[in-house]
Amino acid sequence: MNNINGFVVLPIQLGALKTAKIDLHDHLNDIETEPIPVEHFLYLKKHSSKKDDFPKDRTLFVLNCPVDATKDHFQRLFRRCGIVENVVIKDAKSGYNCHVVFEDEESVDACLSMKPRQRIWMTETPQIIGLPLYLMQHVKRVPPKDKLKEQIDSAMIQFDEMQERERKEQELKRNMPDEDGFITVTRGKRVQRDGDVAVQALSKQEAQQLKPKENKLVDFYRFQMRESKRNGITINDRTCAIETTL
């Protein structure tokens, strides 16, 4: 294999992925696309950076990874080189890269000395790609008609129950007198029974239980203060005059 700036170039073939059939209920059924082979290049070298906490002797650094890269891809790609222990994929500004950690040091050396041949970038499990993938994502946002109807009916039942509770609360407020004996008038639909409007009057017992409202605005205004002061002086003057006479 070729070497570029310390990296071993590993060509792979993209596009020959297995596609899975999906059911798009009311939209489309059993969509399957034909894969188009595309040549892609991976760049491999031993891990040597001190910034990342990976075992140097057992870690392979891979540059220019495909955007759909997973641990399963690298396990299949390097299955003849050794057992993959862990894969950490990062999305950098320059593209996707990853660190593949093997169980032994010999596996890294085997990856760097792989012989050139056709290698297909794929996994063991079928994958949904291309147009079927985007259609499936769209369908997930729009539930089937029967489920949508069920959700709407449930929401409407909850709304009707809430409206009924609010109506009963308003009815109680209409017939509940305050401390002064007045009944609060609330805005709402007029309910008639046999052509008459139902009106509830305050009973004698409820009227007796009402407490008189305290007058807390004594001498609040200036004219009240002047009148109170003038009345007080007048009474005092008369009292003094009566005592002097006696």
Side-chain angles (χ1 to χ4, degrees), residues 21-33:
K21 294 183 179 181
I22 56 176
D23 182 16
L24 303 178
H25 50 264
D26 294 338
H27 299 273
L28 297 172
N29 294 321
D30 297 338
I31 295 181
E32 189 171 8
T33 57

Side-chain angles (χ1 to χ4, degrees), residues 1-2 8-17 37-42 44 66 73-81 109-123:
M1 291 188 293
N2 297 329
V8 175
V9 182
L10 178 64
I12 59 175
Q13 182 177 332
L14 301 179
L17 294 172
V38 176
E39 191 174 20
H40 188 84
F41 297 95
L42 300 177
L44 319 176
H73 285 100
F74 292 103
Q75 285 180 336
R76 180 175 177 81
L77 182 64
F78 300 130
R79 64 187 183 279
R80 297 181 181 179
C81 299
D109 297 331
C111 292
L112 297 176
S113 59
M114 293 173 66
K115 296 181 179 180
R117 65 179 181 84
Q118 185 182 21
R119 291 180 174 86
I120 300 176
W121 182 258
M122 60 183 299
T123 60

Side-chain angles (χ1 to χ4, degrees), residues 139 165 196 233:
V139 168
R165 288 195 300 268
D196 298 329
I233 294 174

Side-chain angles (χ1 to χ4, degrees), residues 141-159:
R141 298 188 183 99
V142 182
K145 291 182 179 180
D146 54 346
K147 292 184 178 180
L148 184 61
K149 183 179 182 301
E150 183 179 351
Q151 294 175 1
I152 293 174
D153 292 342
S154 176
M156 293 303 298
I157 292 174
Q158 294 178 3
F159 178 77

Side-chain angles (χ1 to χ4, degrees), residues 12-228:
I12 59 175
Q13 182 177 332
L14 301 179
L17 294 172
K18 297 178 182 178
T19 57
K21 294 183 179 181
I22 56 176
D23 182 16
L24 303 178
H25 50 264
D26 294 338
H27 299 273
L28 297 172
N29 294 321
D30 297 338
I31 295 181
E32 189 171 8
T33 57
E34 291 293 334
I36 302 175
V38 176
E39 191 174 20
H40 188 84
F41 297 95
L42 300 177
Y43 301 92
L44 319 176
K45 76 172 183 178
K46 284 187 177 181
H47 171 67
S48 59
S49 176
K50 297 180 180 180
K51 297 181 180 179
D52 299 315
D53 189 15
F54 296 107
K56 294 182 179 180
D57 297 332
R58 298 188 293 112
T59 304
L60 179 70
F61 179 64
V62 183
L63 193 63
N64 194 34
C65 299
V67 294
D68 63 341
T70 62
K71 183 179 179 179
D72 293 339
H73 285 100
F74 292 103
Q75 285 180 336
R76 180 175 177 81
L77 182 64
F78 300 130
R79 64 187 183 279
R80 297 181 181 179
C81 299
I83 299 176
V84 176
E85 182 179 287
N86 189 24
V87 177
V88 179
I89 303 174
K90 296 181 179 180
D91 182 9
K93 294 181 179 180
S94 58
Y96 283 83
N97 60 75
C98 75
H99 292 82
V100 182
V101 182
F102 292 90
E103 289 188 352
D104 50 52
E105 302 177 9
E106 291 76 12
S107 299
V108 178
D109 297 331
C111 292
L112 297 176
S113 59
M114 293 173 66
K115 296 181 179 180
R117 65 179 181 84
Q118 185 182 21
R119 291 180 174 86
I120 300 176
W121 182 258
M122 60 183 299
T123 60
E124 296 294 340
T125 57
Q127 287 187 322
I128 301 174
I129 60 172
L131 180 60
L133 175 62
Y134 295 111
L135 288 174
M136 184 184 65
Q137 293 175 353
H138 171 71
V139 168
K140 287 182 178 180
R141 298 188 183 99
V142 182
K145 291 182 179 180
D146 54 346
K147 292 184 178 180
L148 184 61
K149 183 179 182 301
E150 183 179 351
Q151 294 175 1
I152 293 174
D153 292 342
S154 176
M156 293 303 298
I157 292 174
Q158 294 178 3
F159 178 77
D160 292 339
E161 292 176 351
M162 182 186 67
Q163 291 286 91
E164 183 65 18
R165 288 195 300 268
E166 293 179 355
R167 187 189 66 79
K168 291 181 179 180
E169 292 177 359
Q170 293 295 332
E171 288 291 336
L172 292 176
K173 289 181 180 180
R174 291 193 184 99
N175 299 325
M176 185 66 64
D178 58 12
E179 59 181 7
D180 294 327
F182 294 98
I183 298 178
T184 304
V185 178
T186 57
R187 188 178 184 86
K189 295 181 179 180
R190 178 177 296 180
V191 180
Q192 295 185 357
R193 298 175 182 175
D194 296 333
D196 298 329
V197 179
V199 179
Q200 179 178 356
L202 183 64
S203 64
K204 183 178 180 180
Q205 184 179 0
E206 292 175 344
Q208 292 177 353
Q209 293 177 354
L210 295 176
K211 296 181 180 180
K213 189 174 181 180
E214 297 181 358
N215 187 8
K216 298 182 179 180
L217 298 179
V218 178
D219 296 340
F220 180 76
Y221 299 101
R222 287 189 176 182
F223 76 90
Q224 293 177 334
M225 298 175 63
R226 288 197 299 269
E227 290 180 358
S228 298

